[in-house]
Amino acid sequence: IEGAFKSAEDLVKSGELSMIDLASAKRRRHARIHQLRAAENAADEAESALRKLLGVAPGTQFNFNNTSQLGLSQFGSIGCVHTSMPPAVAALDFTRHPKVKAALHKFEGGELALKKEIHRQYPDLKIGPQYVNEEGLDRIGIVAGIQLPLWNRNRAGIAGAEGERDMLRWEAIVIWREIIEDVASARRKLKLLLDHQPEHCI
């Protein structure tokens, strides 16, 4: 479009085209630039969605195969894509997704916190040295003590830790289900594209 616009400017200078024709070419160039920006934004959004689906870092760059494998000829015209759906992946395999792994690590932390709270309901025996100064006399000995949760056996602490553990487990399940649904949605879109070839391919 830039080459065509430059040619239009040269033709105006030589008197072959009018200024009205040049203004029309300028409007077409402006529209094409907007179309290009829209296509670039769509490509950025598609790559961002792919990063999210794969669970890779935000700055990860994709290196796609040669465009001929996507059904494009060397001249850039749209060709025919004759391929089939990739094999489905078992749902449990997505527990290895980085987001699910991170959620499971948090869940494990919740399990440890619960075990700690449960341990606190049992007697805590303490033994250690003791130093006392009474009436100017130093006394050294050994003291033994025991702490008993006599009233509520730390029920409140245990209940709170158990609720936190259960919430972290549910969050991990929700993240896993969202990933599975994203994959299923992507497969549905791909199947739709493969089932609807361009007119000249039918």
Side-chain angles (χ1 to χ4, degrees), residues 74-176:
Q74 60 179 329
F75 303 106
S77 61
I78 298 177
C80 302
V81 181
H82 297 290
T83 185
S84 58
M85 288 287 293
V89 179
L92 286 178
D93 288 343
F94 291 101
T95 56
R96 296 195 296 267
H97 192 284
K99 286 185 178 180
V100 178
K101 282 186 175 181
L104 289 175
H105 283 307
K106 289 183 181 179
F107 168 68
E108 290 171 4
E111 285 276 16
L112 291 176
L114 176 59
K115 289 178 181 178
K116 182 178 178 181
E117 291 296 335
I118 292 174
H119 177 73
R120 288 178 59 188
Q121 73 175 323
Y122 297 104
D124 188 8
L125 179 64
K126 293 184 177 180
I127 301 176
Q130 182 184 42
Y131 169 79
V132 180
N133 186 299
E134 293 181 357
E135 299 179 357
L137 297 176
D138 294 332
R139 296 176 183 269
I140 299 175
I142 296 177
V143 63
I146 188 169
Q147 292 181 349
L148 289 172
L150 296 177
W151 302 110
N152 61 15
R153 303 284 292 179
N154 195 34
R155 290 191 184 94
I158 293 173
E162 191 172 19
E164 180 70 16
R165 187 272 315 266
D166 291 344
M167 185 187 71
L168 292 172
R169 176 171 55 191
W170 178 249
E171 286 180 357
I173 292 173
V174 168
I175 291 173
W176 172 66

Side-chain angles (χ1 to χ4, degrees), residues 153-197:
R153 303 284 292 179
N154 195 34
R155 290 191 184 94
I158 293 173
E162 191 172 19
E164 180 70 16
R165 187 272 315 266
D166 291 344
M167 185 187 71
L168 292 172
R169 176 171 55 191
W170 178 249
E171 286 180 357
I173 292 173
V174 168
I175 291 173
W176 172 66
R177 287 179 176 175
E178 287 177 350
I179 291 171
I180 293 174
E181 179 55 35
D182 287 343
V183 172
S185 175
R187 287 182 62 85
R188 286 193 297 268
K189 291 177 181 178
L190 177 59
K191 187 176 187 307
L192 187 64
L193 289 173
L194 296 178
D195 290 346
H196 292 77
Q197 295 284 338

